[in-house]
């Protein structure tokens, strides 16, 4: 498990953009920390996390919450579009199929 995340981190070293590499590694480490907590055999209260793991975990939660916020904002923007011409019919159909997945999962 740990070796797979190290391999992903090594692949991220090939990214030329410094910001992209930093954010990619931070998000990968946050995901790894979440999975470490989820699949750990020890009691969560007794688990010791490194400072970087805690920071990356909170950053991952922050990124996820922003993503959910913007999905809801996008949904509200699509609902406010008027239905005056044919292109609006296409928007309605794509909106219906896109958001039906989220409603089925109870996220919206």
């Amino acid at each position: 498990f740990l070796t797979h995340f190290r391999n992903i981190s090594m692949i991220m070293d090939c990214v030329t953009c410094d910001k992209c590499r930093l954010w990619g590694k931070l998000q990968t480490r946050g995901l790894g920390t979440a999975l470490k907590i989820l699949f750990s055999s020890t009691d969560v209260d007794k688990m010791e996390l490194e400072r970087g793991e805690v920071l990356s975990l909170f950053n991952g939660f922050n990124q996820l919450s922003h993503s959910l916020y913007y999905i809801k904002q996008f949904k509200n923007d699509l609902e406010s579009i008027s239905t005056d011409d044919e292109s609006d019919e296409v928007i309605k159909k794509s909106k219906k199929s896109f958001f039906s997945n989220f409603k089925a999962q109870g996220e919206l």
Side-chain angles (χ1 to χ4, degrees):
F1 173 74
L2 186 59
T3 57
H4 292 295
F5 276 93
R6 286 191 182 141
N7 288 340
I8 292 171
S9 182
M10 288 172 48
I11 291 170
M12 295 296 290
D13 288 335
C14 297
V15 176
T16 57
C17 176
D18 290 335
K19 283 184 179 182
C20 299
R21 185 180 325 125
L22 174 69
W23 282 106
K25 284 188 170 190
L26 187 63
Q27 290 176 357
T28 302
R29 189 169 185 190
L31 179 62
T33 304
L35 292 173
K36 177 182 174 180
I37 293 169
L38 184 64
F39 295 122
S40 176
S41 60
T42 61
D43 189 19
V44 176
D45 295 333
K46 297 177 184 176
M47 182 179 292
E48 293 184 19
L49 296 175
E50 296 176 9
R51 180 179 182 263
E53 290 176 322
V54 174
L55 290 174
S56 61
L57 184 65
F58 276 100
N59 184 304
F61 286 142
N62 182 42
Q63 292 292 341
L64 181 64
S65 66
H66 276 88
S67 297
L68 293 175
Y69 170 78
Y70 286 115
I71 286 173
K72 286 183 180 182
Q73 187 69 32
F74 179 68
K75 176 187 174 226
N76 292 336
D77 290 346
L78 279 177
E79 287 177 349
S80 66
I81 294 174
S82 66
T83 57
D84 292 339
D85 59 5
E86 292 176 14
S87 64
D88 288 333
E89 194 63 36
V90 173
I91 292 172
K92 278 180 157 182
K93 288 179 182 178
S94 63
K95 179 179 73 169
K96 187 175 184 178
S97 66
F98 179 77
F99 291 111
S100 65
N101 293 334
F102 290 107
K103 288 180 182 178
Q105 296 174 3
E107 294 179 5
L108 293 178

